[in-house]
Amino acid sequence: MARRGSEYVCQDCGAVTAKWSGRCTACGSWNSIIEERSALGVAGAPASRNDAKGTPLALASLDSDIPEPPRQLTGMAELDRVTGGGLVPGSALLVGGEPGIGKSTLLLQVSAALAEAGQTAIYISGEEAPGQIRLRAKRLGLHKSPVKIASATNLGDIIATIKAEGEVALVVIDSIQTLWRDGLDSAPGTVSQVRAASQLLIQLAKATKAALILVGHVTKDGQIAGPKVLEHMVDTVLYFEGDQGHNFRILRAVKNRFGPTDEIGVFEMRDQGLAEVENPSEMFLGERRDGTPGAAVFAGIEGTRPVLVEIQALVAPSHLATPRRAVVGWDSNRLAMILAVLDARCGLRFGAHDVYLNVAGGLKISEPAADLAAAAALVSAFSGVALPQNTVYFGEISLSGSIRSVTHMGQRQKEAQKLGFTAAVIPAAGELKVEKSEQGFVLQRYDHLSELTARLLQQSGAAQPHNRGAMVG
Ligand code: TYD
Ligand code: MG
C-alpha cells in the first residue's frame, strides 16, 4: 500500500500509479518510476473544489475577429524567424538541447538584446552563479547591457522577484529542471517539481504579459527530460541542435501555437558567442573541394528556406562477412533502401563493399528529396569518378527506381542558381519553369534512376574508374 500523500510517477511519461513497479505499464520504460510525496495533494494539482458549484461559462463562437498576437521582436532575426515573427507576450517557450550546445549563451544574448532595446529582461539561472554569468557576458561583450540577472532555484523567490519588477518583457529560466517548490517533497527535476514549477511560471507569464523562456535539459536519446506534459503545457517548443565538432547550431521549432513548425534558425558559435547565419548554403558549401568522387550537392528545403548541402559517400571493398553501412546526418533505413534500389533496379552490386554516407557540416537531413543526391554520390563513389562540380540534385526515389517529384522545385533551383550552380538533376515529373532571367541553367530531368546511373557510368567509362571490375551490368 502506498503511504498517504505519496504516489508513484513515471519520470518518462508522467503516468501515476499507486504501487511501485520496475516497468511503467503506460509507456513501457524500465526503472523510471519514482515515489513522489506532496503536501499539496496529487502532484501539485490545485486543491479540490466543489465541482458542482461552478459558474456557467459564456460560450463564444468561432467567427469573430481575432487580433494577431502582438509580437516582441528579439533583435535576433533567426530567433524571430523560428518563433514565427518574434516572442508573444504572455506565452511560454521551451528550449531544449544537449549540454554545452549553447542554450545559455543564446538566451543571455537574447536577454541582452531586449534589455539594450530598453525593455526589462530578467535572466534567472539555477545552474550558474552571478559571477559565472558575468564572465560569460564579458566574453560575449555584453557585460554593459542592463539585463537583470539572478541565481535562484526556489520557485517562490523567483515568482516574488518577477512580480516585484512590474512590467517585464522577458523572463528566462535556465533551467526548469533546477527549480523546486516549497511543499513538494520530491527532488528538483522530478515530474511533480517540473510540472508544478512550469504551471506556476506559465500562469505568472499570462498574468504579467511577460514572454517566458524555459530551458529544458534533454535525455541521452534527445527528448526533453521530465514529463512529456511539459511540452504540452508550453506554447512553443524549440530544439537547439548541432554537434560539438562543428560550429554551426540549428534552432528548430517542433511545436508552435503562434507560427509554423518547420522553420529553422541557423547560428554559428564563435569566440564572441552565437552569430546569425543569413545564408546557410554558403556556409555548408564553403569548404568544398573540387573533383572528389562521391560528393553530390543536394538542394534541400528547411522550413521556407532553401539550404544547399554536400552529401558525401565512400564505397570501399569490405573484408567483413556483413559489410558496414554507416550514415551520419541521414536516415540509415533510407540508405539501405537506396542501396537496394541501386542493386535491384540499376544492377550496381554493393554487396561486397562497405558504404559510408555523410552529410557535410553536421547537418541532419530528413527530406526524402535527398534520395537522388545520395544515389548520385553513391554511384560516383562506386565508380570513382567525380560528379560535375556545378550540378545540384534533388528528387525522391521510389522502390521501383522511379524518380518522383518533390515540393518547392522552383525555390531549390533558384537557390542553386544564386550560388553559381549551372545545372540541376531533377525528376521528370513536376512543374518547374525556367524564367528568362534563369536561362543558361540546365535542367536534366530523369524518370528512372537507371537512366541516371547509366549516364553517370558512361561518363566514368571514359575516365577509367578504379572500381569498374566490381560492377555487374
Ligand atoms: P552554453 O551556452 O553554456 O551551453 P548550454 O547552456 O546549452 O549547456 O555553451 C557553452 C559552450 O559554448 C561551451 O562549450 C563554450 C562555447 N562558447 C563559445 O564557443 N563561445 C562563446 O562565446 C561562449 C560564451 C561559449
Ligand atoms: Mg546552460
Side-chain angles (χ1 to χ4, degrees), residues 98-105 136 139-140 269-273:
E98 309 237 322
I101 208 71
K103 302 180 293 298
S104 306
T105 308
R136 185 199 299 271
R139 202 171 151 193
L140 299 171
M269 183 60 100
R270 303 225 182 113
D271 286 344
Q272 313 79 26

Side-chain angles (χ1 to χ4, degrees), residues 340-395:
V341 173
L342 282 170
D343 185 315
R345 313 287 179 202
C346 311
L348 293 181
R349 308 269 179 258
F350 286 89
H353 290 77
D354 291 334
V355 177
Y356 303 87
L357 198 85
N358 177 39
V359 177
L363 191 70
K364 287 190 188 65
I365 298 181
S366 54
E367 270 192 294
D371 290 355
L372 197 58
L378 287 167
V379 175
S380 162
F382 191 59
S383 66
V385 172
L387 297 167
Q389 269 286 300
N390 53 6
T391 307
V392 297
Y393 299 80
F394 54 85

Side-chain angles (χ1 to χ4, degrees), residues 123 125-136 149-152 174:
Y123 178 94
S125 179
E127 297 176 351
E128 290 166 312
Q132 283 172 298
I133 306 174
R134 272 187 216 114
L135 210 65
R136 185 199 299 271
I149 59 166
S151 277
D174 188 0

Side-chain angles (χ1 to χ4, degrees), residues 6-271:
S6 106
E7 56 189 3
Y8 294 85
V9 183
C10 170
Q11 302 296 304
D12 281 353
C13 69
V16 182
T17 48
K19 251 176 37 190
W20 187 86
S21 66
R23 184 166 190 236
C24 171
T25 47
C27 70
S29 64
W30 289 94
N31 225 0
S32 62
I33 293 181
I34 286 186
E35 179 183 3
E36 295 189 357
R37 262 176 298 148
S38 109
L40 300 173
V42 176
S48 77
R49 206 174 53 170
N50 192 345
D51 293 338
K53 279 194 195 144
T55 33
L57 304 170
L59 297 172
S61 76
L62 284 174
D63 178 34
S64 61
D65 286 340
I66 315 143
E68 270 286 297
R71 297 280 186 171
Q72 172 75 61
L73 290 178
T74 58
M76 292 188 103
E78 294 294 304
L79 179 63
D80 291 339
R81 175 201 299 277
V82 179
T83 50
L87 301 173
V88 176
S91 74
L93 191 153
L94 177 67
V95 178
E98 309 237 322
I101 208 71
K103 302 180 293 298
S104 306
T105 308
L106 175 74
L107 296 177
L108 190 59
Q109 284 183 254
V110 172
S111 313
L114 276 180
E116 269 161 30
Q119 311 269 6
T120 308
I122 302 180
Y123 178 94
I124 293 176
S125 179
E127 297 176 351
E128 290 166 312
Q132 283 172 298
I133 306 174
R134 272 187 216 114
L135 210 65
R136 185 199 299 271
K138 190 145 196 181
R139 202 171 151 193
L140 299 171
L142 299 174
H143 52 296
K144 295 268 186 291
S145 133
V147 186
K148 302 193 168 170
I149 59 166
S151 277
T153 51
N154 181 292
L155 191 62
D157 295 349
I158 293 175
I159 288 180
T161 313
I162 298 169
K163 279 187 177 155
E165 273 305 314
E167 202 169 303
V168 178
L170 174 68
V171 177
V172 174
I173 304 287
D174 188 0
S175 64
I176 188 72
Q177 275 90 3
T178 56
L179 301 194
W180 57 277
R181 181 184 182 185
D182 278 333
L184 277 182
D185 213 356
S186 31
T190 52
V191 171
S192 27
Q193 287 286 8
V194 168
R195 188 159 45 188
S198 12
Q199 215 166 36
L200 287 179
L201 286 168
I202 291 170
Q203 273 168 15
L204 181 70
K206 284 219 170 75
T208 58
K209 291 273 173 274
L212 172 71
I213 301 186
L214 305 173
V215 173
H217 292 170
V218 296
T219 58
K220 60 180 184 302
D221 42 304
Q223 299 288 311
I224 290 180
K228 212 56 187 169
V229 286
L230 181 54
E231 289 182 48
H232 291 294
M233 283 160 74
V234 296
D235 299 300
T236 305
V237 180
L238 305 179
Y239 274 85
F240 205 34
E241 348 172 301
D243 59 25
Q244 306 282 359
H246 291 98
N247 283 340
F248 85 90
R249 304 281 183 265
I250 287 188
L251 192 61
R252 197 183 289 278
V254 294
K255 162 180 172 177
N256 194 350
R257 288 191 183 139
F258 303 110
T261 50
D262 51 2
E263 280 295 355
I264 62 164
V266 186
F267 297 88
E268 189 182 350
M269 183 60 100
R270 303 225 182 113
D271 286 344

